[in-house]
Amino acid sequence: MAGLADLADDERCRILLGEVRTGLSAHSRALADTEAAALLSLRPGVGVRVATRPAAWVVSPDLTLGVHCPMPSRSGARRDGIGTILSRASLTGGRMVQATVHTGVVLGRSGAVDRRQPWAHHLARPGRVEVAGRLRADDLADGFLAAVPDGVPGPDLDLGAVCGRLLDQVQESPLLDQRLPFRAPRTRFRFALLPCDHGASGAAHVCRVSFVVEEEMVRVLRMSGSVADLVSVVGLCEDLALHDWLLTTVQRVVEGSRVRPSGGGRLPHQLRPVIDHLLHLWMPGARVADALLPVWAGVEQRSGISRQWENLVGWIRDQLALSLLADLGRGAG
Amino acid sequence: MILIATSDKGGTGRSVTGCNIALRCALQGSNVCYVDFDFGSPTAGAIFHVESAARGILGGQGMHSFLAGEAAAPVELDLWRHMDRAGLRPRPPGAGRLVLFPGDEGGGEFPVDEDMTDRCVRLLRRLAEEFDLVIVDLSAGRSYALQLVLEATVRPALRPVLARWLVFHRWTRQHIIAAAGLAYGDHGIVDTGAAKGHDRDHLRDSIRFVRTAVPDLDSEQFAGLVPTQAAWLQETDADLQRLAARRRIGRSVLLGSIPLDPVLQWREQLILESDVWTLRIANPQTGAALDELAKDVMDDDPWEGL
């Protein structure tokens, strides 16, 4: 009987909320896998996961945090959520550091009498928040995804604050020397997966994807679909956030050097660290589950981030070639 | 790099000069943030032409509330979207980020505790990761804010981060004595820092001075003086130079001098190229001095050990 009840619960847990923050690791050089593993051993006794192909990727064990607070909503409906959220940190290419926080949300049934469950109930379901009272999925997602003006956190469930805190914790580790080759702003990538209107067709699918670059550093991804394995969606979001950060960061550096005269064909000095540390890290879709690759393709088609990236890399290589020619010319003269 | 701006007395133009340095560095392409640690009178918003934060912000999400543990994260204002001044919106091409962390309206001084230091370390380290230049504007004098920053910068997470100190003072006898006292005197920066575990020599070497409201005796302003006045001014200036040298705040540790300029004094706001060249209300020397200061703040040479 209990098993059946759980199954019914799982059926209803089709909303996923989360946030990824991405930045440059606070170290003078790329970390080796062993160093990265030590950095991300955030839970004693639980190992980190390491992958070396196609790019070095190390991810910490999941951390569980209990929450009991009002859920966000656009309508202002204040419904309490109780449960746990999961967070993890990862390092890609020894250089790009990410913190991710996510949770599945189970909405209360209308008419059902909500009964406060003991914590053991919630601890047995990591990464799931149960909402007491009626709240529509759209209302919840709209409230969660709404741009927070100027980073002012509200009293509601604030995954961003947890995310920022975890990234800080990793970045201030004594294993990092704090001598960054250049400064790069962190991006905040907020995402939500809502149940699909078309009903469950059995196979995992995602329809209706919208990706918006909101403020300078805030991105919002909203998806509808039905995916049994919510963690695979988190993986997709991490991958998108990673490449969006890479593109944003290189773009900023290139913009800065384009408006300044480079003088005699010399390579603008700002480009050097980008070439050293970032250009080789572009590997879109490397860790995205097959069922979700169409989402990548869809975002790609509309915002064209790979085309933009190729364009940027081409420009940087041209600058490199020009500076080489200029040097040769000076040598001959 | 973290640049800590302080002064012994009020009215030195510390904040207005600091904000102008921030703007100029950002215009030159650096990512800059300005953190208002002047808890008693957070005026950076007014200087940056942000009306909603003119005397700090309301709502308990400012720097003071964050450090006191009442807010999970402090408000950060993207100044390129908030500065209400023609020519500064939107972000000029090639400019870096420019972000203000405003104080709280009605905040005040408070004693420092361990948790507050932790929050301060975490914030400043994160900012040093994201920004080329982090300007921390302290209250005048031997404040709690000064204690807090000295305590924070000696912690392991911030120790590797380059921290530089700027002491602002006016070009008068009392101000020179006070500035030297704040840097090297009893309970001054070096003294307090050493007691908290800073290396005394290293800390002393990371302090530079900025003279403000300095009369430029060669400028047109003083062209109409009678000979006795001119002679007196020259002599007084020479006296002040000697006094500064005796107090160890002479030319070797001087980062810049900002000339006496009514626009800077009275408007207490940003000075733009248009103020100098189009409106012709600010003196070209003021603009040049601010540019020079912005360059020297980021440059390593003026900060070489003595």
Side-chain angles (χ1 to χ4, degrees), chain A residues 247-302:
Chain A
L247 179 63
T248 306
T249 306
V250 175
Q251 216 168 13
R252 289 296 304 277
V253 173
V254 164
E255 262 168 29
S257 65
R258 264 183 188 159
V259 294
R260 272 165 247 289
S262 53
R266 280 208 182 83
L267 187 70
H269 72 275
Q270 302 98 318
L271 294 181
R272 181 66 203 260
V274 167
I275 297 172
D276 281 347
H277 296 276
L278 299 183
L279 279 201
H280 57 285
L281 295 175
W282 189 262
M283 210 82 73
R287 252 170 299 280
V288 176
D290 287 347
L292 295 174
L293 278 175
V295 179
W296 232 117
V299 171
E300 182 78 298
Q301 204 183 3
R302 252 158 296 163

Side-chain angles (χ1 to χ4, degrees), chain A residues 26-87:
Chain A
H27 203 62
S28 50
R29 56 171 173 78
L31 290 169
D33 285 354
T34 45
E35 294 169 308
L39 178 70
L40 297 178
S41 299
L42 301 179
R43 265 173 70 183
V46 184
V48 298
R49 282 187 292 143
V50 181
T52 47
R53 306 222 183 281
W57 182 68
V58 181
V59 62
S60 77
D62 280 338
L63 306 176
T64 312
L65 182 71
V67 293
H68 181 186
C69 56
M71 299 301 281
S73 69
R74 191 173 53 181
S75 65
R78 290 180 73 77
R79 300 279 180 263
D80 268 7
I82 309 180
T84 55
I85 59 179
L86 292 178
S87 57

Side-chain angles (χ1 to χ4, degrees), chain A residues 172 183 186 216 252 260, chain B residues 91 94 122 128 130 132:
Chain A
E172 65 194 31
R183 314 285 141 176
R186 295 175 178 181
E216 202 179 353
R252 289 296 304 277
R260 272 165 247 289
Chain B
R91 183 214 297 245
R122 177 153 301 135
E130 292 194 72
D132 302 295

Side-chain angles (χ1 to χ4, degrees), chain B residues 131-145:
Chain B
F131 294 90
D132 302 295
L133 177 63
V134 180
I135 299 182
V136 180
D137 183 13
L138 298 185
S139 333
R142 293 156 169 82
S143 57
Y144 285 123

Side-chain angles (χ1 to χ4, degrees), chain B residues 48-68:
Chain B
F48 279 119
H49 305 263
V50 183
E51 192 46 47
S52 61
R55 283 161 302 281
I57 54 161
L58 292 168
Q61 307 268 8
M63 190 45 59
H64 186 282
S65 304
F66 166 72
L67 290 171

Side-chain angles (χ1 to χ4, degrees), chain A residues 24 26 150-153 165 168 171-172 177-180 183-186 188 215-217 252 256 259-260, chain B residues 28-29 31 61 73 75-78 81-82 91 93-94 96-97 122 125-126 128-132 157 160:
Chain A
L24 184 72
D150 306 314
V152 188
R165 178 76 180 73
D168 283 341
Q171 290 280 60
E172 65 194 31
D177 64 16
Q178 303 295 333
R179 303 193 189 283
L180 293 90
R183 314 285 141 176
R186 295 175 178 181
R188 304 170 186 177
E215 283 169 49
E216 202 179 353
M217 295 300 150
R252 289 296 304 277
V259 294
R260 272 165 247 289
Chain B
Q28 286 159 18
N31 294 316
Q61 307 268 8
V75 166
E76 37 184 299
L77 298 174
D78 173 3
R81 293 195 298 124
H82 283 92
R91 183 214 297 245
R97 295 172 79 203
R122 177 153 301 135
R125 198 219 56 80
R126 196 254 291 178
E129 168 200 326
E130 292 194 72
F131 294 90
D132 302 295

